[in-house]
Amino acid sequence: MTTTTKTVVIKSRKHALGSRNSLVLTSASLLTGFAMALPGGAAIAAEKATTTLAPVQVEADALGGYKTDTLSSSKFTQPLRDTPQTIQVITRDLFHQQGATTLTEALRNSPGVGTFFAGENGNTNTGDTIYMRGFDTSNSLFVDGVRDLGSISRDLFNIEQVEITKGPAGTDNGRSAPTGSINMVSKQAFLRDEASGSVSAGFDGQKRATVDVNQTFNALAGSAVRLNALWQDSDVAGRDHVKNSRVGFAPSLGFGLDGATRGYLNFLHVKQDNIPDGFVPTIGLPGWTPQPGLEQLIGQRVDSENFYGTRQDHDDVTANMITFRVEHDISEAVRLTNTLRWGRTDQDYLLSAFMSTGGTGANPQAGNISWTDIDDLSTYTLARSLNTFKDQSNEILTDQLNLRIDFATGAITHNLSTGLEWTREQQDIHSVVASGSRPAASLYAPNWSDVGDLSWSRNGAGSEGQTDTTSVYLFDTAKFGEQFLVTGGIRADHYETEYSSSGTCTTVTPLPRRGIACPAGVADGSVVSTADLDTSDTLFNWKLGVVYKPIEAASLYVNYAVSQQPPGGANFQLSSAANSANNPNMDPQKAKTLEVGAKWNLLDDMLALNLAWFRTQVTNEINTQELDDNGNPTQSGKKQVQGIELSAVGNITENWSVSAGYSHLDTSVENGSNLAQDGSSNLTYTPEDAFTAWTTYRLPFGLTVGGGVRYSGEMLRGTDGAAGTPTFTRSYTVYDAIASYPLGDNLIVRLNAYNLFDKEYVAAINKSGYRYTPGIPRTFLLSADFRF
């Protein structure tokens, strides 16, 4: 471990606010005026213009640690120990030591959180499809507190830490998934000259290099520039032809970093050229029973490395993000922060997907699997009948203004955070028409060079969705002496969503499934409007928590929170269908969570222990079993998730680090149709029990050894008309290991081993159960980490 000690003098100076757009100026005036009106506000604002603090000893540990005490968001005014909610922070040091490079890999450190769902029927999910506590959380992903749009895979090369907030997060972020949100904190410039990076190579074609350089400006005091860059060209272990190729760079310019007014200008550019994965047929898996005509395939499981796509399959992503943030210390007790961001993600995607359905008893080859010799497996083929296209762009523009104030009303101290936010989010989807076809793939030895004569192009149809949101929020933590804290928050979001779509019509009769009939006088193949809808409303979300501290190192708490997701809130799409939650006439989905827990910092605050019991009830769900007077489904549906979660993170000794967590979930559909194919009332894609742990120990001569274990319980898949496919995935346990050794003061050689015992397992399954995501087999990654 390399430790440096530096003495710095921190100065705080007042500066006049520079001119910005009218929204920001107006917001600043309102919030500053509010601060002046608070008890003690005038005294706060009258503090002297220049304050010089005593020298501070700053220690920088090259290895860092797993434990952090605070969140990046100013909406959370207390340390994690005194925040009445289950929140997990995955630090850069933890996921870097594990060799994790994507968000989904980092989330393996959180029990029961992961990409367990492989898509609807014939469609395969793209990007970070994340389930947490029984619900899809893919549309509740944030970067620096700003929603991050797009169904893409997110890299960690420019991320300091990943913050997982469990339970309703509507008060913090506005509309969100019922059971939480995930925030990624970006790297930015700081006042120290430093360079680091990593070069990695794996046994399965994994190649990656990153660099992180921060440089101060001698000619401009208080200013620095930081550059993070990425290059990767990696195969996926255990999968033929699947590839993740990406380049990225993220410069950050900071100025005034040693003063009362600090500014950051950050830019992120990532280009991905991937070969997507359509996964593997579930034939022969536990729980699979043969469909009519496929009885001969019992015991004939396909190779989990098989790739059923073609050379033309692609997932090309371009992501750009510009962020300008200004922080101004009005005084030592008042801080004003403004964040302005524009971001855009473009995705061009093609996957030669499949559905491994059988035929009928009368016609065994009527499905997607055929053969010429029933006894010769080499003659079996699988139809590539589902060419899945995605031509989509997502764009966001937002301005967020926050005012943080610390003050007292008599014997009660307050830490208040309030703000205004305005956001415009847009999603454009271009429809793609295809002609020609793909040849069927060999079921047991597919050839990805069989591309056929498929061609495709935009057909002029598509959809556009836009949501404008204006928000105001207020959080306050009132401290009553040394033992009691009351934390509350309220947020109002006024949103307006507009959605339009079009498609190509047909004059064919009978109308094909999902076909659009041409209006009278309209030619076959013409583009016609299919939807022109809008909705608007105001959502009120709130939370209230009470903390009791029997001793300084421990907190006991109870918390209640409400969160809502309006029609179109997850995907910017509205629908006129009576059974759709995205119908503008529907009420928002509402989640209510009660949580009781305890947090305790041990060993001189080196180790944090957390225990929580929670119950989340989600109402206003679509219920097709209870109809209104017109025969339409009602919103009487109700789901419930309750359980416990335990975690430990930090250091047991100076050389022994640990991060561990366990969750037990009891999920159910309380009212409405069952979701699981096995007929139970349990929620799908949610392990009942999950455990994850990672620990390392640094020996006296510098060698660090350790490893981890991940356990995921059985999961249930969704219900549909699929016959013979598995209704569940088996539980699994996977073991990983690490060894690292410093070669001098600036270089560490690291060896990561994954799935040590080469466990075969199902990581995710699709709704119909026709295909699954195989778990990563045993593989190794060798890395050289440098720091100067």
Side-chain angles (χ1 to χ4, degrees):
M1 179 177 64
T2 302
T3 301
T4 60
T5 301
K6 184 177 181 181
T7 300
V8 295
V9 177
I10 302 176
K11 293 187 176 182
S12 174
R13 295 186 177 89
K14 281 189 176 181
H15 296 276
L17 291 175
S19 66
R20 292 196 288 267
N21 61 66
S22 58
L23 170 66
V24 175
L25 287 174
T26 302
S27 303
S29 300
L30 287 173
L31 292 182
T32 305
F34 175 69
M36 296 290 291
L38 287 170
I44 292 173
E47 287 186 352
K48 62 183 181 179
T50 303
T51 302
T52 301
L53 304 180
V56 177
Q57 297 293 324
V58 179
E59 293 190 353
D61 187 341
L63 291 179
Y66 303 166
K67 177 177 174 289
T68 186
D69 295 323
T70 59
L71 292 173
S72 61
S73 173
S74 56
K75 298 171 185 175
F76 293 87
T77 62
Q78 304 304 307
L80 288 176
R81 182 187 60 201
D82 298 333
T83 299
Q85 191 171 357
T86 297
I87 299 175
Q88 182 181 2
V89 178
I90 304 171
T91 66
R92 175 174 52 135
D93 301 288
L94 175 56
F95 62 70
H96 177 77
Q97 191 178 61
Q98 295 171 337
T101 61
T102 65
L103 174 62
T104 54
E105 291 173 346
L107 292 176
R108 294 172 184 168
N109 292 287
S110 187
V113 179
T115 53
F116 308 125
F117 177 51
E120 288 272 356
N121 301 318
N123 296 320
T124 300
N125 284 334
T126 66
D128 300 321
T129 306
I130 298 167
Y131 267 67
M132 180 162 63
R133 288 186 176 178
F135 290 85
D136 189 350
T137 316
S138 308
N139 293 290
S140 294
L141 305 181
F142 298 80
V143 175
D144 305 320
V146 176
R147 195 180 304 275
D148 193 44
L149 306 176
S151 54
I152 63 173
S153 175
R154 291 159 177 86
D155 199 279
L156 298 173
F157 83 101
N158 191 46
I159 299 300
E160 287 284 1
Q161 63 186 35
V162 177
E163 303 170 343
I164 307 168
T165 302
K166 298 185 178 181
T171 312
D172 309 316
N173 303 311
R175 71 180 196 278
S176 66
T179 49
S181 64
I182 297 168
N183 182 50
M184 292 163 281
V185 182
S186 301
K187 298 176 182 179
Q188 61 185 19
F190 57 93
L191 289 180
R192 188 170 66 248
D193 293 341
E194 185 176 289
S196 63
S198 183
V199 178
S200 302
F203 284 25
D204 293 275
Q206 301 167 72
K207 302 179 290 293
R208 178 181 171 95
T210 61
V211 65
D212 180 355
V213 179
N214 192 86
Q215 182 67 48
T216 57
F217 293 117
N218 294 328
L220 189 60
S223 299
V225 63
R226 184 174 185 176
L227 176 63
N228 277 270
L230 157 73
W231 173 87
Q232 178 173 319
D233 187 20
S234 294
D235 298 337
V236 174
R239 301 292 296 126
D240 288 343
H241 308 307
V242 181
K243 182 179 287 291
N244 292 318
S245 177
R246 61 192 65 170
V247 293
F249 61 92
S252 172
L253 175 64
F255 51 90
L257 302 184
D258 59 350
T261 302
R262 299 167 297 281
Y264 299 90
L265 180 60
N266 302 329
F267 176 67
L268 172 69
H269 171 81
V270 178
K271 182 76 168 66
Q272 301 185 34
D273 297 296
N274 305 322
I275 298 176
D277 197 346
F279 309 127
V280 183
T282 53
I283 294 170
L285 284 183
W288 180 83
T289 55
Q291 301 161 50
L294 298 183
E295 292 82 2
Q296 67 275 17
L297 296 184
I298 293 176
Q300 303 295 337
R301 185 172 174 179
V302 303
D303 189 337
S304 63
E305 294 189 4
N306 284 356
F307 178 74
Y308 293 90
T310 75
R311 290 181 178 273
Q312 292 179 335
D313 290 6
H314 59 269
D315 183 11
D316 299 334
V317 175
T318 301
N320 292 293
M321 183 187 299
I322 301 173
T323 307
F324 180 55
R325 190 173 83 254
V326 176
E327 301 172 350
H328 177 64
D329 296 333
I330 299 174
S331 73
E332 291 183 353
V334 182
R335 173 177 293 179
L336 189 67
T337 303
N338 191 82
T339 302
L340 177 65
R341 172 173 293 171
W342 171 86
R344 181 183 173 96
T345 300
D346 295 283
Q347 184 175 24
D348 175 16
Y349 175 89
L350 167 60
L351 176 69
S352 303
F354 63 85
M355 293 178 69
S356 55
T357 54
T360 65
N363 186 1
Q365 299 203 54
N368 288 296
I369 296 179
S370 302
W371 58 89
T372 56
D373 184 345
I374 194 171
D375 297 318
D376 185 356
L377 295 181
S378 67
T379 69
Y380 281 70
T381 60
L382 175 66
R384 296 185 179 110
S385 56
L386 296 169
N387 297 299
T388 304
F389 297 93
K390 181 177 288 187
D391 188 346
Q392 176 176 312
S393 64
N394 290 87
E395 191 168 353
I396 186 170
L397 176 65
T398 185
D399 190 86
Q400 301 183 352
L401 184 67
N402 175 266
L403 181 67
R404 166 67 189 271
I405 309 172
D406 301 331
F407 65 98
T409 54
I412 304 173
T413 61
H414 296 264
N415 303 121
L416 184 143
S417 178
T418 185
L420 302 172
E421 298 178 1
W422 176 85
T423 303
R424 167 165 291 178
E425 302 161 88
Q426 295 176 297
Q427 178 175 277
D428 295 330
I429 300 176
H430 299 279
S431 295
V432 175
V433 62
S435 61
S437 63
R438 297 284 194 222
S442 169
L443 181 61
Y444 288 92
N447 181 357
W448 80 318
S449 296
D450 294 336
V451 297
D453 60 354
L454 184 74
S455 61
W456 59 92
S457 63
R458 292 180 179 179
N459 64 359
S463 65
E464 297 179 0
Q466 176 178 301
T467 297
D468 292 345
T469 308
T470 303
S471 311
V472 58
Y473 63 85
L474 186 146
F475 299 92
D476 186 26
T477 298
K479 299 180 182 179
F480 299 84
E482 299 296 326
Q483 293 187 298
F484 287 96
L485 296 85
V486 177
T487 295
I490 187 170
R491 181 186 181 103
D493 294 284
H494 178 74
Y495 68 89
E496 298 179 357
T497 297
E498 299 177 351
Y499 175 72
S500 63
S501 64
S502 60
T504 55
C505 68
T506 180
T507 57
V508 174
T509 57
L511 191 67
R513 182 173 180 262
R514 297 182 181 177
I516 304 169
C518 289
V522 176
D524 186 88
S526 298
V527 176
V528 296
S529 174
T530 55
D532 188 4
L533 304 168
D534 62 82
T535 184
S536 64
D537 201 354
T538 300
L539 302 179
F540 291 95
N541 296 312
W542 59 274
K543 62 181 179 180
L544 181 65
V546 178
V547 177
Y548 169 65
K549 298 177 64 62
I551 58 175
E552 173 60 25
S555 295
L556 308 176
Y557 68 88
V558 59
N559 183 54
Y560 187 81
V562 173
S563 185
Q564 299 181 79
Q565 182 82 279
N571 55 15
F572 308 100
Q573 297 179 8
L574 298 176
S575 172
S576 58
N579 62 346
S580 173
N582 290 324
N583 190 310
N585 296 321
M586 297 295 182
D587 293 327
Q589 176 196 63
K590 180 175 287 188
K592 303 175 182 178
T593 293
L594 173 66
E595 181 172 321
V596 180
K599 300 183 180 184
W600 188 15
N601 284 6
L602 305 176
L603 306 176
D604 293 329
D605 280 347
M606 289 198 306
L607 183 68
L609 301 180
N610 304 290
L611 167 65
W613 172 91
F614 59 89
R615 173 181 290 166
T616 297
Q617 293 182 330
V618 181
T619 58
N620 291 342
E621 294 279 279
I622 302 298
N623 185 358
T624 58
Q625 294 185 335
E626 296 181 7
L627 306 180
D628 62 18
D629 295 338
N630 297 318
N632 296 320
T634 62
Q635 285 192 272
S636 58
K638 180 180 177 181
K639 299 172 184 174
Q640 179 173 288
V641 181
Q642 65 180 2
I644 61 171
E645 187 159 334
L646 301 87
S647 66
V649 60
N651 279 58
I652 298 175
T653 69
E654 182 181 354
N655 297 309
W656 185 6
S657 302
V658 64
S659 173
Y662 166 77
S663 71
H664 172 79
L665 300 178
D666 179 12
T667 67
S668 61
V669 177
E670 297 291 291
N671 192 35
S673 302
N674 288 339
L675 303 175
Q677 182 67 22
D678 70 347
S680 70
S681 63
N682 295 328
L683 300 187
T684 54
Y685 315 108
T686 301
E688 181 177 357
D689 293 283
F691 175 74
T692 180
W694 179 267
T695 184
T696 57
Y697 189 85
R698 187 173 57 245
L699 298 169
F701 56 91
L703 176 66
T704 296
V705 294
V709 57
R710 289 177 284 119
Y711 169 81
S712 181
E714 178 183 288
M715 292 186 296
L716 303 176
R717 75 164 178 85
T719 180
D720 62 9
T725 57
T727 61
F728 66 94
T729 67
R730 281 186 170 178
S731 62
Y732 62 86
T733 304
V734 175
Y735 298 89
D736 304 320
I738 181 179
S740 65
Y741 187 75
L743 300 178
D745 295 332
N746 306 113
L747 180 65
I748 295 176
V749 177
R750 171 169 49 89
L751 178 64
N752 289 93
Y754 305 101
N755 195 358
L756 276 175
F757 301 105
D758 207 19
K759 173 72 174 180
E760 293 186 8
Y761 64 97
V762 176
I765 192 169
N766 85 309
K767 183 177 181 180
S768 299
Y770 292 127
R771 62 182 183 276
Y772 75 100
T773 308
I776 298 297
R778 179 170 54 224
T779 188
F780 300 88
L781 183 71
L782 181 63
S783 303
D785 303 327
F786 62 87
R787 181 184 295 268
F788 298 96

